[in-house]
Amino acid sequence: MPLHSISPRCHAKLSTTAQYTDVATKTIRDTVSPYEMLAQLQDQTLKRSLK
């Protein structure tokens, strides 16, 4: 099956879909997990308590 027929956004051009996919991938990659944020907050709290 050709890729353009399964384009998730139904764009006329596969290149347009590829651009959106690239942006979405970067956005997801740059998103910080709430667990990571919690760990950073705990580290900061621990450092303050040791001062």
Side-chain angles (χ1 to χ4, degrees), residues 32-48:
V32 179
S33 160
Y35 294 109
E36 291 176 24
M37 292 172 37
L38 181 60
Q40 291 172 0
L41 180 61
Q42 289 174 334
D43 289 345
Q44 291 173 358
T45 302
L46 180 61
K47 288 176 184 177
R48 287 183 190 147

Side-chain angles (χ1 to χ4, degrees), residues 5-48:
S5 64
I6 58 170
S7 175
R9 299 245 185 214
C10 301
H11 294 117
K13 295 182 180 180
L14 185 57
S15 62
T16 304
T17 301
Q19 289 173 351
Y20 281 107
T21 303
D22 187 49
V23 169
T25 302
K26 289 177 185 174
T27 301
I28 292 169
R29 188 181 318 124
D30 293 342
T31 302
V32 179
S33 160
Y35 294 109
E36 291 176 24
M37 292 172 37
L38 181 60
Q40 291 172 0
L41 180 61
Q42 289 174 334
D43 289 345
Q44 291 173 358
T45 302
L46 180 61
K47 288 176 184 177
R48 287 183 190 147

